[in-house]
Amino acid sequence: MQLPAPRGPLTDRLFAELARPPHAFGPPPADPRDDEEDAQLALFVCYELHYQGFDGVDDRWEWNPSVLALRERLEGWFERWLARRVPRPPAPPPRQVPRALAALVASEDGPSLSAYLRGRADVEQFREFVIHRSIYQLKEADPHTWGIPRLLGRPKAALVEIQSDEYGGGRPERMHAELFRATMRGFGLDDSYGAYLGVVPGVTLAISTVMSMFGLHRRRRGALLGHLAAFEMTSSLPNRRYSQGLRRLGGDAGTRRYYDEHVQADAVHEQIAAHDLCGAFAAEHPDLAGDVLYGAACALTLDRLFAEHLLGRWREGRTSLWEARWRADAEVTAR
């Protein structure tokens, strides 16, 4: 994966430093609050150093103290960004966590992106949706896997069971990331990892970034599990609709397979995540039951913001992607 084009002073400075051999550098003068798009991309890149990294960027940057100091600053900004948008649900009694998760999911009443894609989206809009989702889907499960070494007993076994399915049960061709690559190829898209990092907006990056923030900090492990539970509990029906929408648009079985696979798998994962993972974890760590619900609320809120962004742009007859939007806005300004 290549570093994308900078979006402001934060990423301009960070990318210039990463292009050099590892060294100490001071904090960029810009404040993350000055440019949300710039801050989201900077934090995403800091986290990506812990995954596949970037071509031309020395792997030793991963634990460089200057990068970690910048990342800590960006995380503080992102935590405040989330706090303004995600009300913290009341902490339930530990035994009530599965029920509280179900109630939280049922209360979400945002716009249905999956219903739009099933019945109204054209090919170009569905193609944009796939581009957005590729940022997470091509490393599906990896952020939540950080939780495995931080658990014991029943919650650990439950997380391993879910993740094993995500990774294809040991069969590379069945890994969900590989199935999504087939979906991308069906749309004539570049299926290489991170190919579209530079063209997605901050709201898309935030969906992945929140997982990495929860996963890379042990103290946020409760939120990580709640996030995964919400992810699984809201997956089966939307994926059925995505497959139906693709069929309407002429998508073949290979292009639809990723979505068809999740209809069945996530119906099972939903129960495991709510009871064996989050319920058992809350019973062992009653003081973290509220974190479980907060992680779920973050997942639901970011999905709603994502849906609002795409549907809002499409209603205006505009692209939902970042690069094309930036170019269009620049042309208007120039005129």
Side-chain angles (χ1 to χ4, degrees):
M1 181 164 56
Q2 303 290 330
L3 284 171
R7 295 189 186 178
L10 282 169
T11 46
D12 189 59
R13 171 71 180 279
L14 174 61
F15 296 175
E17 302 291 357
L18 293 178
R20 298 168 54 195
H23 59 277
F25 63 88
D31 189 306
R33 293 174 296 179
D34 294 340
D35 189 334
E36 185 176 301
E37 288 288 335
D38 193 25
Q40 291 284 9
L41 182 58
L43 184 54
F44 184 96
V45 168
C46 287
Y47 283 144
E48 192 59 35
L49 297 173
H50 296 291
Y51 294 100
Q52 298 299 317
F54 296 91
D55 290 349
V57 174
D58 194 308
D59 284 344
R60 291 174 294 173
W61 276 115
E62 180 182 4
W63 296 109
N64 178 274
S66 295
V67 171
L68 296 180
L70 174 60
R71 195 186 86 182
E72 184 178 33
R73 180 184 176 195
L74 291 165
E75 285 175 336
W77 165 80
F78 191 43
E79 285 181 318
R80 295 187 293 274
W81 186 93
L82 287 169
R84 292 193 300 271
R85 292 162 175 80
V86 188
R88 191 174 183 90
R95 68 172 61 89
Q96 296 297 323
V97 163
R99 183 178 298 176
L101 284 169
L104 187 65
V105 168
S107 69
E108 181 58 38
D109 59 356
S112 178
L113 180 59
S114 63
Y116 181 88
L117 289 166
R118 177 185 61 184
R120 297 180 58 189
D122 59 30
V123 171
E124 186 56 34
Q125 289 170 338
F126 212 117
R127 186 173 183 270
E128 283 192 8
F129 169 71
V130 171
I131 288 173
H132 284 285
R133 287 303 197 195
S134 71
I135 302 303
Y136 166 68
Q137 242 75 70
L138 293 184
K139 63 179 175 187
E140 185 170 354
D142 290 352
H144 293 119
T145 297
W146 294 113
I148 293 174
R150 293 169 176 159
L151 302 175
L152 295 170
R154 184 181 173 194
K156 185 169 193 164
L159 183 53
V160 169
E161 182 177 359
I162 292 171
Q163 299 303 82
S164 178
D165 286 346
E166 302 290 344
Y167 292 124
R171 296 174 59 185
E173 73 278 5
R174 291 186 62 86
M175 291 174 63
H176 289 179
E178 292 304 313
L179 298 181
F180 194 79
R181 281 194 164 90
T183 298
M184 296 185 74
R185 292 192 296 270
F187 280 93
L189 294 169
D190 182 350
D191 69 343
S192 57
Y193 183 92
Y196 295 99
L197 176 59
V199 303
V200 297
V203 68
T204 302
L205 300 177
I207 289 173
S208 289
T209 298
V210 75
M211 300 181 208
S212 294
M213 186 173 74
F214 291 161
L216 286 165
H217 292 273
R218 184 178 182 276
R219 65 187 174 89
R220 297 188 177 111
R221 63 196 185 280
L224 179 72
L225 303 187
H227 184 286
L228 176 59
F231 207 81
E232 300 293 348
M233 295 169 76
T234 57
S235 177
S236 187
L237 176 58
N239 277 293
R240 184 185 302 278
R241 289 172 174 169
Y242 299 146
S243 180
Q244 291 169 341
L246 270 179
R247 184 186 293 274
R248 174 180 61 83
L249 294 170
D252 61 21
T255 306
R256 301 194 312 270
R257 187 181 176 191
Y258 172 85
Y259 300 114
D260 292 338
E261 176 80 9
H262 281 71
V263 172
Q264 181 175 354
D266 290 348
V268 176
H269 291 173
E270 173 181 350
Q271 299 302 315
I272 298 172
H275 296 275
D276 299 327
L277 181 62
C278 291
F281 177 81
E284 293 177 3
H285 304 279
D287 57 319
L288 297 180
D291 288 356
V292 172
L293 268 292
Y294 183 67
C298 286
L300 296 170
T301 298
L302 287 172
D303 270 357
R304 174 174 52 78
L305 293 174
F306 174 72
E308 289 172 353
H309 171 79
L310 267 65
L311 294 173
R313 291 285 172 178
W314 292 341
R315 279 195 300 269
E316 296 169 357
R318 302 170 66 185
T319 179
S320 62
L321 297 175
W322 165 258
E323 182 181 72
R325 188 183 80 198
W326 178 85
R327 288 175 176 171
D329 290 346
E331 290 171 0
V332 170
T333 301
R335 289 198 295 269

